Amino acid sequence: MQPLRFATAGSVDDGKSTLIGRLLYDARAVQEDQLAAVERASQRRGAAQIDLSLLTDGLEAEREQGITIDVAYRYFATPRRKFIIADGPGHVQYTRNMATGASNADALVLLLDVSKKLLPQTRKHLQIARLLGIRQVVAFVNKMDAAGWSRDAFDAAATDLKAFAAPLGLDTLDIIPGSALLGDMVVERGESLGWYRGPTLLERLETLHSGVEAAATGPFRFPIQLVSRPQGDASRGYMGRIESGHLLAGTEVLLLPSGKRTRVRQILSNGASRELAVAGDSVTLVLADDIDTARGDLIADPANPPRETRALDVTLVWLGHELMRPGGRYLVQQGSRRLLAKVHAPEPLALNDIGQARLTLNAPIFVDSYDSVRTTGSLILIDEATNHTVAAGLVQ
């Protein structure tokens, strides 16, 4: 099975970092020196037992304040699968960091405190995750130990969540009761939730679909990252990662923005020739014809090309501290391609706002809808003056 990328989300103090720490600890994915460092940090904070949340809170400010600020990436594996975790913050002021962690995820682990149920920030995180294309959600109803392992309390939280999630069009929504602090229903079942017959969190994560698997069935898209001459060959090679679809050697392809067609003479991976490459593979393509193509260009399926446009409607997640300037000029970056654009919106957006806008560009851009192909359906806005990223955009 392909590795699964998943992000955590939920309101502050719902226990996201503790849950991921427990998952890593019980799955035996923590190195001895790392565990020793966390034990020392727990003692300095006066904790009676090891604080597993510190396994993901890596910044000094996070450990001092007991909160998550940045996205913490962790990697672990079981006999069945490899995982990449993006543990995101719950605080409102760090919502943009949560969105960053979710932007490349295949699934979302959503935390709910059983006593608080569905808080406004939890709702916002779920909406952002769905906006970013996540269709698989595993909700972990946490702190069941503090509620006396009550089935009624769990059912009430689950009912609220199902009602809110119903219009979002999720492919799967699993709701699991448990305790991140004690470990029940994270990796092991424990002994206090005998009335729950479903899988543990880890068992469900091991069966979810990878985004790479889904992307392989989409239209072929290959943004060029670098031009090289592989193995001293006189022909140029075009290096990058297949973001969508698959490719056979000998297949006809379309080069954009030139609009020229040619065939793929050879597919190279780690210096070796191969007949097939699929989404997620980093390869070098050698073309049959010598065509002037450079970094930032796109190689695509001629039978199903992306849309060419100078104006597009996008959903923006505003990440900048300064208000959006409606009618203002920003740099638009899509992959390694950068263009100038004016942003037209009904009203200014502030930090963490989500809104609709229309971009008019100074040159053509080639896009798909975000739901179809994430890479060609997403972009960022950059402030020319500061070079800061101020928004993430999703093409409609």
Side-chain angles (χ1 to χ4, degrees):
M1 299 178 71
Q2 290 284 346
L4 181 79
R5 296 173 176 265
F6 70 89
T8 65
S11 191
V12 62
D13 292 333
D14 280 349
K16 293 181 298 301
S17 294
T18 300
L19 177 69
I20 299 306
R22 170 63 66 181
L23 182 62
L24 295 172
Y25 182 79
D26 286 357
R28 296 174 177 81
V30 182
Q31 301 294 328
E32 289 186 7
D33 58 342
Q34 185 183 16
L35 186 60
V38 169
E39 288 175 341
R40 290 193 297 270
S42 300
Q43 291 170 359
R44 286 197 298 269
R45 293 178 60 180
Q49 58 187 6
I50 183 172
D51 185 349
L52 294 175
S53 70
L54 299 180
L55 287 170
T56 56
D57 289 339
L59 298 178
E60 183 177 351
E62 293 177 320
R63 294 188 175 184
E64 287 177 352
Q65 299 176 52
I67 63 172
T68 300
I69 296 173
D70 201 2
V71 180
Y73 291 95
R74 294 293 181 266
Y75 310 85
F76 78 104
T78 69
R80 296 188 63 186
R81 194 165 209 176
K82 294 180 180 179
F83 297 93
I84 303 171
I85 311 169
D87 181 32
H91 286 69
V92 173
Q93 61 265 44
Y94 305 123
T95 300
R96 60 179 181 174
N97 292 355
M98 173 270 159
T100 299
S103 63
N104 290 314
D106 307 318
L108 183 76
V109 173
L110 184 72
L111 267 288
L112 284 78
D113 183 327
V114 67
S115 65
K116 300 176 184 176
K117 300 180 185 176
L118 202 57
L119 295 172
Q121 187 68 352
T122 314
R123 295 169 186 261
K124 187 166 190 176
H125 280 191
L126 183 55
Q127 289 174 319
I128 290 174
R130 181 62 192 90
L131 182 67
L132 292 169
I134 295 177
R135 294 177 176 271
Q136 302 177 104
V137 175
V138 181
F140 191 84
V141 180
N142 196 21
K143 304 186 182 180
M144 289 295 299
D145 53 311
W149 311 102
S150 167
R151 183 169 188 171
D152 289 340
F154 169 74
D155 287 343
T159 298
D160 283 356
L161 177 58
K162 289 176 182 177
F164 180 75
L168 298 180
L170 299 172
D171 289 345
T172 61
L173 173 61
D174 297 273
I175 306 177
I176 300 173
S179 169
L181 182 65
L182 301 179
D184 293 71
M185 297 309 304
V186 181
V187 174
E188 306 294 338
R189 299 194 68 85
E191 300 179 354
S192 302
L193 289 164
W195 50 263
Y196 173 73
R197 301 298 183 185
T200 66
L201 175 64
L202 181 59
E203 287 170 343
R204 186 63 183 111
L205 290 173
E206 287 180 326
T207 63
L208 293 178
H209 296 295
S210 165
V212 172
E213 296 163 353
T217 65
F220 177 68
R221 301 289 185 264
F222 182 82
I224 296 173
Q225 295 292 331
L226 186 66
V227 181
S228 67
R229 295 190 182 276
Q231 300 177 343
D233 195 319
S235 301
R236 285 184 290 183
Y238 301 96
M239 304 172 69
R241 191 178 82 156
I242 298 177
E243 299 293 347
S244 176
H246 60 277
L247 181 69
L248 286 166
T251 300
E252 184 180 53
V253 292
L254 173 68
L255 278 62
L256 298 170
S258 70
K260 295 181 179 179
R261 298 188 181 204
T262 185
R263 292 191 176 275
V264 175
R265 178 161 64 86
Q266 193 176 24
I267 303 172
L268 297 173
S269 177
N270 295 321
S273 183
R274 57 194 291 186
E275 292 299 311
L276 171 69
V278 299
D281 289 345
S282 295
V283 296
T284 299
L285 303 184
V286 180
L287 305 180
D289 301 298
D290 191 9
I291 299 174
D292 186 15
T293 301
R295 171 179 165 83
D297 291 354
L298 181 69
I299 303 178
D301 180 358
N304 192 0
R307 174 165 56 99
E308 178 180 358
T309 183
R310 286 176 178 261
L312 66 157
D313 295 317
V314 296
T315 301
L316 292 180
V317 180
W318 198 255
L319 309 175
H321 290 283
E322 301 293 330
L323 283 175
M324 172 206 282
R325 305 186 303 273
R329 194 171 75 164
Y330 293 88
L331 292 171
V332 168
Q333 183 158 336
Q334 180 204 49
S336 55
R337 185 174 177 81
R338 189 174 281 197
L339 306 167
L340 280 171
K342 285 189 176 181
V343 179
H344 309 277
E347 57 186 19
L349 297 179
L351 178 65
N352 297 328
D353 282 350
I354 301 172
Q356 306 302 311
R358 186 170 180 82
L359 306 182
T360 54
L361 301 113
N362 69 333
I365 193 171
F366 300 91
V367 296
D368 297 284
S369 69
Y370 184 80
D371 277 346
S372 175
V373 183
R374 281 190 178 186
T375 300
T376 49
S378 61
L379 50 86
I380 60 173
L381 297 187
I382 300 171
D383 189 307
E384 281 189 289
T386 64
N387 206 37
H388 290 164
T389 298
V390 294
L394 312 177
V395 179
Q396 299 172 5

